[in-house]
């Protein structure tokens, strides 16, 4: 399989698209756009998983894709959007500095990932090698996002990117066991972090974790 | 030809004595111009086939006679030297008489550079190099008996000594069999010795060429000297350093050096190019800005040299020849346009009375010749087609683009990064040149002095026209010039190397990528002519002049006949976007905002101080270390006798073990 | 012989076409934007009418302006026209195709840019100088991005000749490549900056402090302004043609193909330009202009994207 053949090209473009979205996550400062980018990445991951399932003839990957689409493409972004709108109307822009520098670091990480993967995987299938390199890049970029972003949302974005990269690596390897379990476990982790984020948000706003404090604010429009 | 060469050297020595007496300075400088012309003639004839084989001189160091030779590489650089030396000498003859020390040091400086270029053994080359360094120090010190200029001279001397020491060490490693170049070539260094040679050459010649992190002296020292000397230092002296690098790394160290040799040069060159081009946009002194642009160009040449080493190591000879052609052609082009720009700046300083762009402006109305020459030089320096700088930078960019042909992934990534940095430096250089021309020659005069300046006349105008015409010829005839450099490329890469030339075009072998300067210049002229014709046929009304509309700014009061200087962009203001977006790369910038007290009518102030990272991170720590060392040395005076004995004994033991280690093989 | 004749004819037709189309393209983009905003929009030929009207007017120059103000418009337009003449539109293998090196095209655009900046400086007014400084700063990021994109394309085609690159990509053997997508995005960002479009600059602005391109032309009038307007229009057309030639190179006619093939190529080219114009109009309507000091971030992002494209293409080469 190489360039010019559809199975390869589609996987290549989907993985590359996820990589591009990871850079958008590093670059973007507007929180709404950040969440949209996360949704896009989740959707792309779902498409990549489904495509791999089709190419490898592995139906369990369809399940992985569906989980990714439902949770990362739709549910989590919708939840985050609502949270943003209701709880942080004044924080449309995240104070992130040194964007140029973090982008530069991101490109270096990708180069590093490529330089690591290329010699290690000699002899493997070209598609798997490339998939692995892109997945590793996405994982590293997720870590970088977590490092450079101060806000809780940035942390969530970084973690989700990281987890997306791991799932992408898993779906790309033919015959990998427990892919569904892995993606579910990752998802649970993300949800836990979001719950923590929510809790912290509450604390920031009301100096308490008591949800009863929220009741007087019910019905407060954006 | 050897006779002519000898006569030129002799003439320079006589002129040095004449200049030292202070009599007839004009004749002395005209004589220098003639001697430089002779050097150029020697170079040109050697390039056309009349090379001078290694010839022993009747004098020399005690162990062997000194050797001189003019092979194609030396000849090419002699041509570069002449291209700067002739107009610079003429300009000096047209200027007011200099101090006597300068009159003596100027011919010696020229002779030193020429000697370093024609030497065929390590000793003579180092001798010429040191004469060049010391004479140029004398030229700076002669103008600055005290004050900050004197400190600059001291800094320069320190760096010159450092580079001399490093080169001596480099030659010591290269020449176990003898200092003659032929003997060195016969026994190329291997293993750690080769690596050490690379390090010493990078430190020695690199610091002379102004490569990062040893660049701090260059933007200070070059503008501190008189204008013709600045032109020589920026146009020719750094090229001598480049020649030393080429000679030692590509020729003397042998063809069997590994691929990674190129990497430090590419990295350092890219950093130098970026930093120099950045600083050229931020300087508040036109000569310093031009010196920073020299840094940029030296960086580009170092990148090309590194690429040549990389390609040679990867066994891609044609591409190595391409990169080397870029280096050699750019060295020549840079000599032309930098000499032109410095002499124009000198004319501005002499005739309009300031180096500060905030005291100049609008000179194109009063000095059309100087302005025209400067704009021509600036267009070349900004690498705009079809001017001369573009041809060589095109070659360099092409060789960077072809970097993907090296099979190593890491080298490919380095090439891509270097391409990005180089492209940035080229863009910054264009911005710096627009800033230079815009501030000095366009717009409104900012002081009465600038409003009343006179144009350059007579000899001074001739000294500007020589490099301008040479640059114009180089622009159109880049390919034939480069085929002249074929011999130099063969000296460095072996007899099968060919420069990237096809007829009157620069071309990359069979790849079909080419640049035809004559065609581009012709088509551009054709297009502009047709346009002017077509537009003027429909639009016949002559233009009229009226007060600038200026978005409704108030008319200036009558006591400001040239308009309000505050309503014209300043040097700092022009550099502001670049300083804010990239300044931190090259400079440590401190901003102090001074807000006026509430109710006071004073304006708020913004004071920006910037310091080169090289000063902050290399010179300061060095100075601190020296102070600490001297404190420690002071402490030594209070030691007991036993401690003194102990130190002496320890030194002895150390020396003995060194001997044992050296003799073990 | 037929080949040589065809290459000459196509070259001449191409130059005539691109000069005639340039102001119309600006008109199309303006009209599309107006429609998207619910306005009726000016006539498609309005830019042409403006230029012809300006040509009839007497130029009024600032008292402080020099010969630079008179010479730079022609030089800039000449350089842009030469660059445009090198970029294929409906046919490939035109007379100047061997000269069509992407680095040279970048250089010619830089020449036009420097002319524009010098024109901004010439009258010695604050906005002109400010615009010039900003324009040159943006170019510092745009130029390397363009060069690295050229490297990506050169990896595929072997060299930086535009005709060779277009031929390689037309054959389709390179497949769908994410690095090409990255390079395309990067080039689009460069295109937006070079043509002073939103989000880098606003082509319709009348607020001096925020503008870049127009600020340098404040003192130009009469035929000088007409030439500058033409230059801007030609530059937009040139960039569209460049993007089309590289990323949608399908359907161009060979130079010796005869009138029918040329006609098909022309129709396809007009469709491509229309699609790009529509894309630009949508993008500009959907997005806001960014702060001037945010632009280096934007263009720096484009540069890094190009470097990323290069890294990925080296990687896929290493796989093969």
């Amino acid at each position: 399989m190489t360039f010019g053949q559809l199975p390869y090209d589609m996987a290549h473009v989907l993985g590359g698209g996820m990589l591009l979205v990871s850079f958008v996550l590093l670059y973007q400062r507007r929180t709404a756009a950040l969440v949209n980018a996360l949704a896009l990445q989740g959707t792309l991951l779902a498409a990549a998983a489904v495509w791999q399932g089709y190419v490898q003839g592995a139906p369990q990957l369809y399940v992985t894709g569906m989980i990714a689409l439902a949770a990362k493409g739709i549910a989590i972004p919708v939840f985050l959007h609502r949270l943003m709108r209701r709880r942080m109307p004044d924080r449309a822009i995240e104070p992130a500095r040194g964007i140029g520098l973090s982008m530069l670091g991101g490109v270096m990480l990708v180069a590093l990932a490529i330089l690591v993967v290329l010699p290690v995987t000699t002899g493997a299938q070209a598609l798997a090698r490339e998939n692995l390199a892109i997945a590793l890049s996405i994982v590293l970029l997720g870590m970088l996002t977590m490092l450079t972003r101060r806000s809780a949302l940035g942390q969530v974005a970084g973690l989700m990117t990281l987890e997306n990269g791991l799932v992408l690596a898993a779906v790309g390897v033919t015959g990998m066991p427990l892919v569904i379990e892995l993606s579910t476990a990752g998802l649970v982790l993300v949800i836990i972090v979001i719950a923590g984020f929510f809790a912290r948000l509450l604390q920031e706003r009301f100096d308490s974790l008591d949800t009863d404090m929220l009741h007087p604010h019910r019905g407060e429009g954006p | 030809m050897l006779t002519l060469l000898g006569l030129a050297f002799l003439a320079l020595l006589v002129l040095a004595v004449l200049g030292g007496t202070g009599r007839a300075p004009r004749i002395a400088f005209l004589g220098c111009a003639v001697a430089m012309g002779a050097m150029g003639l020697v170079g040109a004839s050697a390039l056309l086939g009349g090379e001078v084989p290694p010839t022993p001189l009747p004098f020399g160091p005690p162990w062997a006679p000194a050797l001189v030779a003019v092979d194609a590489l030396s000849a090419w650089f002699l041509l570069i030297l002449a291209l700067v030396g002739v107009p610079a000498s003429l300009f000096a003859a047209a200027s007011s008489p200099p101090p006597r020390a300068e009159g003596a040091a100027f011919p010696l400086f020229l002779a030193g550079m020429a000697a370093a270029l024609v030497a065929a053994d390590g000793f003579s080359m180092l001798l010429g190099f040191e004469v060049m360094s010391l004479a140029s120090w004398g030229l700076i010190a002669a103008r600055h008996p005290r004050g900050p200029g004197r400190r600059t001279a001291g800094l320069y001397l320190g760096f010159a000594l450092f580079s001399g020491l490093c080169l001596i060490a480099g030659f010591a490693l290269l020449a176990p069999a003898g200092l003659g170049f032929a003997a060195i070539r016969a026994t190329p260094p291997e293993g750690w010795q080769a690596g050490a040679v690379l390090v010493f050459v990078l430190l020695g010649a690199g610091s002379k060429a102004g490569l990062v992190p040893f660049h701090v002296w260059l933007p200070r020292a070059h503008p501190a000297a008189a204008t013709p000397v600045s032109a020589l230092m920026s146009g020719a002296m750094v090229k001598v350093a480049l020649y030393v690098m080429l000679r030692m790394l590509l020729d003397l160290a042998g063809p069997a050096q590994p691929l990674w040799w190129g990497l430090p040069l590419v990295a350092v060159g890219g950093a130098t190019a970026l930093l120099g081009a950045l600083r050229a946009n931020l300087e508040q002194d036109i000569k310093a800005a031009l010196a920073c642009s020299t840094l940029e160009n030296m960086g580009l040449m170092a990148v090309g040299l590194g690429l040549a080493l990389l390609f040679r190591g990867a066994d891609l000879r044609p591409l190595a020849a391409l990169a080397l052609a870029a280096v050699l052609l750019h060295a020549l082009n840079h000599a032309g346009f930098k000499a032109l720009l410095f002499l124009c700046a000198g004319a501005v300083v002499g005739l309009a009375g300031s180096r500060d762009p905030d005291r100049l402006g609008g000179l194109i109305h009063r000095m059309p010749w100087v302005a025209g020459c400067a704009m021509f030089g600036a267009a070349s320096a900004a690498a705009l087609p079809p001017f001369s700088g573009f041809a060589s930078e095109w070659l360099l960019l092409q060789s960077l683009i072809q970097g993907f042909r090296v099979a190593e992934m890491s080298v490919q990534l380095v090439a891509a990064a270097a391409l990005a940095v180089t492209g940035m430096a080229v863009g910054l250089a264009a911005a710096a040149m627009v800033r230079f021309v815009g501030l000095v020659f366009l717009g409104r005069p900012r002081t009465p002095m600038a409003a009343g300046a006179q144009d350059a006349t007579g000899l001074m105008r001739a000294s500007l026209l020589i490099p301008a015409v040479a640059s114009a010829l180089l622009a159109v005839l880049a390919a034939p010039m480069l085929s002249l450099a074929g011999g130099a490329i063969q000296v460095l890469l072996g007899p099968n190397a060919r420069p990237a030339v096809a007829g009157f075009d620069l071309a990359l072998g069979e790849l079909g990528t080419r640049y035809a300067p004559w065609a581009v210049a012709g088509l551009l002229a054709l297009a502009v002519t047709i346009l002017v014709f077509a537009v003027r046929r429909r639009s016949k009304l002559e233009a009229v002049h009226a007060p600038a509309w200026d978005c409704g700014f108030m008319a200036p009061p009558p006591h400001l006949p040239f308009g309000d200087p505050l309503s014209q962009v300043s040097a700092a203001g022009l550099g502001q976007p670049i300083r804010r977006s990239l300044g931190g790369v090259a400079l440590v910038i401190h901003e102090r905002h001074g807000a006026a007290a509430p109710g006071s009518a004073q304006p708020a102030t913004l004071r920006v101080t910037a310091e080169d990272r090289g000063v902050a991170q290399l010179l300061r720590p060095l100075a601190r270390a020296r102070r600490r060392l001297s404190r420690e040395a002071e402490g030594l005076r209070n030691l007991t006798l036993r401690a003194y004995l102990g130190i002496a004994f320890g030194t002895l033991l150390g020396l003995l073990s060194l001997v044992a280690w050296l003799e073990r093989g | 012989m037929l080949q040589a004749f065809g290459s000459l004819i196509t070259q001449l037709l191409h130059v005539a076409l691109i000069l005639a189309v340039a102001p119309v393209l600006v008109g199309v983009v303006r009209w599309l934007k107006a429609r998207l905003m619910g306005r009726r929009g000016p006539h498609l030929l309005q830019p042409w009418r403006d230029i012809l009207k300006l040509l009839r007017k007497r130029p009024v120059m600032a008292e402080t302006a020099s010969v630079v103000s008179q010479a730079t418009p022609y030089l800039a337009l000449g350089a842009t026209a030469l660059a445009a003449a090198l970029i294929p539109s409906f046919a490939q293998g035109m007379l100047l195709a061997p000269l069509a090196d992407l680095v040279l095209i970048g250089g010619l655009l830089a020449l036009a840019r420097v002319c524009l900046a010098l024109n901004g400086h010439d009258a010695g007014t604050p906005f002109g100088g400010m615009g010039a400084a900003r324009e040159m700063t943006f170019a510092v990021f745009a130029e390397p991005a363009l060069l690295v994109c050229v490297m990506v394309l050169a990896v595929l085609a072997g060299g930086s000749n535009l005709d060779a690159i277009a031929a390689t990509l037309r054959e389709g053997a390179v497949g769908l490549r994410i690095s090409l997508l990255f390079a395309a995005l990067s080039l689009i960002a460069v295109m937006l900056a070079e043509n002073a479009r939103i989000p880098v600059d606003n082509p319709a602005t009348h607020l001096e402090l925020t503008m870049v391109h127009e600020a340098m032309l404040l003192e130009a009038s009469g035929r000088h302004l007409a030439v500058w307007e033409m230059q801007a229009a030609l530059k937009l057309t040139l960039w569209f043609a460049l993007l089309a030639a590289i990323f949608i190179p399908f359907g161009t006619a060979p130079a010796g193909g005869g009138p029918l093939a040329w006609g098909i190529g022309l129709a396809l080219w007009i469709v491509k330009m229309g699609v790009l114009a529509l894309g630009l109009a949508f993008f500009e309507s959907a997005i806001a202009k960014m702060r001037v000091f945010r632009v280096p971030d934007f263009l720096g992002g484009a540069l890094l994207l190009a470097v990323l494209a290069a890294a990925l293409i080296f990687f896929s080469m290493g796989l093969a």
Side-chain angles (χ1 to χ4, degrees):
Chain A
M1 250 191 311
T2 177
F3 280 107
Q5 292 165 331
L6 193 63
Y8 188 96
D9 280 0
M10 273 308 281
H12 173 77
V13 167
L14 289 172
M18 284 181 68
L19 186 59
L20 185 62
V21 176
S22 306
F23 272 94
V24 173
L25 288 172
L26 265 182
Y27 172 80
Q28 191 54 260
R29 294 194 306 177
R30 298 199 342 271
T31 45
L34 207 62
V35 176
N36 284 343
L38 273 179
L40 180 61
Q41 196 175 42
T43 315
L44 281 173
L45 175 68
V50 170
W51 183 257
Q52 287 284 359
Y54 167 68
V55 171
Q56 297 175 11
Q60 72 272 22
L61 290 184
Y62 294 136
V63 183
T64 313
M66 288 305 126
I67 293 176
L69 182 66
K72 290 174 190 160
I74 299 168
I76 294 181
V78 168
F79 172 71
L80 284 175
H81 265 307
R82 288 181 55 189
L83 198 64
M84 291 296 119
R85 246 199 328 270
R86 303 218 358 224
R87 299 287 156 236
M88 305 167 59
D90 50 334
R91 284 229 217 134
I93 290 182
E94 193 189 339
R97 280 182 306 172
I99 282 180
L101 217 58
S102 60
M103 294 273 289
L104 188 65
V107 171
M108 284 181 178
L109 287 180
V110 174
L112 180 71
I114 288 175
L115 284 177
V116 167
V117 168
L118 206 53
V120 169
T121 56
T122 322
Q125 228 186 5
L127 182 55
R129 288 173 83 183
E130 183 175 276
N131 205 47
L132 205 57
I134 289 180
L136 181 58
S137 310
I138 294 174
V139 169
L140 291 177
L141 283 174
M143 287 183 180
L144 186 68
T145 312
M146 289 180 78
L147 273 179
T148 52
R149 296 279 172 159
R150 298 226 185 96
S151 73
L153 181 69
Q155 304 282 324
V156 171
L159 187 78
M160 265 183 78
T161 313
L162 198 156
E163 203 260 349
N164 286 348
L166 287 178
V167 175
L168 181 69
V171 299
V173 180
T174 318
M176 173 95 176
L178 299 175
V179 174
I180 302 177
E181 290 81 347
L182 186 75
S183 61
T184 319
L187 201 60
V188 170
L189 186 65
V190 170
I191 289 171
I192 290 172
V193 170
I194 293 177
F197 163 51
F198 183 63
R200 202 177 132 199
L201 205 68
L202 275 181
Q203 192 168 25
E204 273 174 23
R205 285 244 137 186
F206 306 107
D207 287 329
S208 162
L209 282 176
D210 186 358
T211 41
D212 283 345
M213 301 282 284
L214 286 175
H215 285 302
H217 297 274
R218 198 181 258 168
E220 197 180 64
Chain B
M1 278 302 126
L2 193 62
T3 337
L4 186 58
L5 192 65
L7 280 177
F9 272 111
L10 206 62
L12 285 175
L13 294 183
V14 173
L15 288 169
V17 176
L18 178 66
T21 62
R23 272 185 228 126
R26 213 179 154 95
I27 305 236
F29 284 120
L30 285 177
C32 286
V34 173
M36 278 294 106
M39 295 280 184
L41 212 58
V42 172
S45 85
L47 285 175
L48 292 169
E51 298 191 2
V52 178
T55 316
L57 295 182
F59 48 85
W63 56 87
L67 293 170
V68 295
V70 183
D71 62 359
L73 184 63
S74 304
W76 184 260
F77 279 86
L78 275 181
L79 215 57
I80 291 174
L81 177 59
L83 181 58
V84 187
V86 173
S89 305
L90 288 181
F91 190 93
S95 312
S96 54
R100 271 168 55 189
E102 193 175 316
F106 190 83
L108 281 180
F109 182 39
L110 294 174
M113 285 193 277
L117 294 178
V118 300
D121 66 312
F123 177 80
S124 323
M125 187 153 119
L126 285 174
L127 188 69
F129 198 84
E130 289 306 307
V131 168
M132 169 185 92
S133 294
L134 292 177
S136 52
W137 170 76
L139 286 168
I140 297 175
R143 288 265 160 167
H144 300 277
R146 63 190 68 79
R150 194 68 184 201
R151 276 203 296 283
T152 300
L155 180 72
Y156 176 56
L157 189 64
F159 271 99
L161 288 178
F162 171 73
S163 71
L165 283 177
C166 288
L167 284 181
I168 289 174
F171 265 113
L173 282 167
L174 268 177
L179 279 169
F181 285 172
I184 296 176
R185 279 189 205 107
T187 54
E190 285 162 2
W192 70 268
Q193 280 174 329
V197 166
L198 176 68
V199 170
F200 280 125
V201 171
L202 265 181
L203 289 177
S207 67
K208 198 74 191 165
L211 298 184
V212 165
F214 301 101
H215 62 280
V216 268
W217 63 272
L218 197 147
R220 290 197 199 171
H222 283 197
T227 295
V229 181
S230 306
L232 276 170
M233 289 173 87
S234 252
M237 187 177 79
V238 289
K239 306 295 162 45
V240 175
L242 177 71
Y243 166 81
V244 171
M245 275 196 260
L246 284 169
R247 180 67 85 188
M248 289 179 79
L249 293 181
L250 274 162
D251 179 18
L252 297 182
Q257 300 305 340
L259 180 142
W260 64 263
W261 268 44
L263 291 177
L265 272 158
V266 171
V268 166
T272 310
L274 189 61
L275 185 141
L278 250 177
R279 281 196 58 183
N281 278 292
L282 307 174
E283 291 295 326
Q284 187 78 27
D285 171 349
I286 52 175
K287 283 176 81 178
L290 292 177
C292 288
S293 144
T294 298
L295 279 182
E296 184 245 348
N297 286 288
M298 286 316 292
L300 295 186
M301 287 177 235
V303 169
L305 175 56
L307 278 178
L309 283 164
L310 274 176
F311 286 136
R312 195 186 64 173
D315 233 5
L316 294 164
R317 293 280 157 151
L319 289 180
L322 176 71
L324 211 52
V327 175
L328 292 176
L329 192 62
H330 197 61
L332 187 66
N333 286 337
H334 177 245
F337 67 69
K338 193 46 65 67
L340 177 59
L341 284 172
F342 256 114
L343 296 184
C344 286
V348 166
V349 173
L351 300 166
S354 180
R355 295 165 32 164
D356 182 355
D358 282 342
R359 305 184 65 77
L360 299 166
L363 293 181
I364 191 170
H365 299 285
R366 306 287 308 181
M367 316 172 86
W369 282 90
V370 177
C373 288
M375 282 162 92
F376 190 84
S380 305
L384 302 178
F387 298 96
S388 66
F390 183 76
S392 41
E393 294 193 12
W394 184 85
L395 286 171
L396 180 68
L397 293 173
Q398 286 295 347
S399 50
L400 279 165
I401 287 174
Q402 294 294 328
F404 73 86
R405 291 188 188 272
V406 180
E408 293 267 335
M409 174 94 190
S410 45
V411 175
Q412 293 171 336
L413 287 173
V414 166
L419 180 65
V421 169
T422 307
M424 218 172 216
V426 172
L428 282 167
M433 287 302 139
V434 167
R435 180 174 176 263
F436 170 70
V437 171
L439 284 172
V440 177
F441 295 104
L442 302 183
R444 292 180 274 126
R446 292 176 175 83
T447 53
M449 195 79 162
Q454 296 295 316
D455 203 359
T457 50
L459 199 54
M460 193 179 275
R461 188 183 293 175
S463 72
L464 299 184
L465 285 176
I466 290 174
V469 170
S471 286
L473 288 177
L474 280 174
V476 181
L477 300 176
M481 243 1 247
L482 190 56
S483 48
L484 269 188
I489 293 175
Q490 284 168 3
V491 168
L492 298 174
L493 289 177
N496 294 326
R498 291 279 170 278
V501 175
F504 281 81
D505 301 353
L506 302 171
L508 268 69
E510 70 287 4
L511 301 170
T513 309
R514 62 174 55 214
Y515 167 57
W518 57 275
V520 172
L523 286 169
L524 209 53
L526 183 73
V528 170
T529 316
I530 293 176
L531 271 173
V532 172
F533 220 71
V535 168
R536 288 315 298 262
R537 258 188 53 139
R538 288 196 71 93
S539 163
K540 295 203 161 47
L541 298 173
E542 281 310 312
V544 292
H545 286 267
W549 176 58
D550 203 8
C551 295
F553 252 71
M554 259 194 312
H559 63 270
L560 291 172
F562 318 117
D564 186 349
L566 289 179
S567 71
Q568 186 171 3
V569 67
S570 67
L574 257 185
Q576 169 89 343
I578 287 180
R579 180 172 69 73
R580 285 203 44 183
S581 54
L582 280 172
V585 174
L587 302 169
V588 186
I589 295 172
H590 300 284
E591 289 192 13
R592 263 215 307 283
H593 302 262
S600 105
Q602 291 296 312
T605 57
L606 169 66
R607 180 166 299 152
V608 181
T609 52
E611 188 178 51
D612 195 288
R613 287 204 178 273
V615 175
Q617 280 155 22
L618 179 79
L619 285 190
R620 289 274 158 67
L622 269 181
R624 269 202 300 278
R626 195 196 63 191
R627 274 201 297 279
R628 190 172 326 125
L629 211 64
S630 60
R631 260 204 311 280
E632 298 287 324
E634 285 293 314
L636 283 183
R637 285 207 295 208
N638 302 332
L639 289 184
T640 60
L641 188 61
R642 280 223 333 252
Y644 278 126
L645 279 176
I647 289 173
F649 185 60
T651 314
L652 181 68
L653 282 186
L655 285 174
L656 280 175
S657 37
L658 185 68
V659 169
W661 184 69
L662 284 179
E663 295 295 315
R664 92 208 123 103
Chain C
M1 187 59 212
L2 185 70
Q3 190 73 29
F5 184 68
S7 72
L8 178 65
I9 292 289
T10 46
Q11 184 70 62
L12 292 177
L13 285 177
H14 165 72
V15 172
L17 169 74
I18 209 156
L19 284 174
V21 159
V24 181
L25 183 69
V26 172
V28 169
V29 174
R30 279 188 201 156
W31 182 80
L32 282 172
K33 274 179 75 174
R35 300 300 299 182
L36 284 172
M37 292 169 189
R39 292 186 279 119
R40 281 180 62 189
H43 195 272
L44 293 185
L45 289 179
Q46 191 59 39
W48 255 128
R49 292 178 189 156
D50 290 345
I51 287 174
L52 293 179
K53 183 187 74 183
L54 281 171
L55 276 181
R56 283 200 304 276
K57 299 223 165 195
R58 182 190 293 282
V60 182
M61 291 166 55
E63 277 161 347
T64 41
S66 68
V67 66
V68 168
S69 288
Q70 288 174 308
T72 47
Y74 300 108
L75 190 53
L77 182 54
T80 315
L82 181 54
L86 299 177
I87 296 170
S89 56
F90 62 92
Q92 79 228 25
M94 296 184 296
L95 185 65
L96 295 180
L99 279 182
D101 179 65
L102 277 173
V103 180
L104 174 66
I105 291 171
L108 287 169
L109 289 174
L111 176 61
R113 185 188 312 123
V114 166
C115 285
L116 184 61
L118 289 181
N119 185 70
H121 275 294
D122 194 39
T125 53
F127 294 115
M130 188 191 71
R134 290 179 176 176
E135 173 89 355
M136 296 312 289
T137 308
F138 296 164
V140 167
F141 296 90
E143 262 187 14
L146 174 64
L147 283 170
V148 179
C149 288
V150 172
M151 187 179 196
V152 172
L153 299 167
V155 172
L156 294 173
S160 59
N161 186 288
L162 182 56
D163 241 41
I165 289 170
T168 312
L169 292 180
R170 192 166 40 235
E171 281 155 19
V174 294
L176 273 171
R177 294 215 182 204
I178 199 71
S179 39
L180 279 183
L181 175 71
F182 284 14
L185 289 177
S186 172
L187 276 184
I188 287 171
V190 172
M191 183 272 281
L192 293 173
E194 284 274 312
N195 287 297
R197 311 301 301 195
I198 292 174
V200 173
D201 190 5
N202 189 347
T205 186
H206 291 284
L207 180 62
E208 294 90 341
L209 276 174
T210 58
M211 48 194 200
V212 180
H213 180 263
E214 297 298 316
M216 291 179 278
L217 302 181
L218 279 177
E219 302 295 333
S221 58
R223 60 170 166 272
H224 303 146
L225 187 57
V227 173
W228 282 123
E229 296 276 323
M230 184 69 188
Q231 194 260 344
L234 193 58
K235 195 162 61 173
L236 183 67
T237 317
L238 177 159
W239 270 98
F240 275 17
L242 185 67
L243 289 174
I246 295 174
F247 297 108
I248 21 179
F250 312 105
T252 47
L260 184 65
W262 297 346
I264 297 172
L266 181 63
L268 271 173
W269 186 69
I270 289 173
V271 170
K272 289 178 206 167
M273 300 301 266
V275 168
L276 284 171
L278 194 63
L280 180 66
F282 262 115
F283 182 75
E284 285 204 305
S285 308
I287 213 153
K289 185 185 172 305
M290 51 174 60
R291 287 177 61 217
V292 166
F293 287 109
R294 186 94 166 104
V295 172
D297 273 350
F298 173 70
L299 287 174
L303 171 59
L304 290 174
L305 207 57
V307 174
L308 196 62
L312 287 177
I313 203 145
F314 297 150
F315 178 57
S316 14
M317 279 203 328
L319 290 179

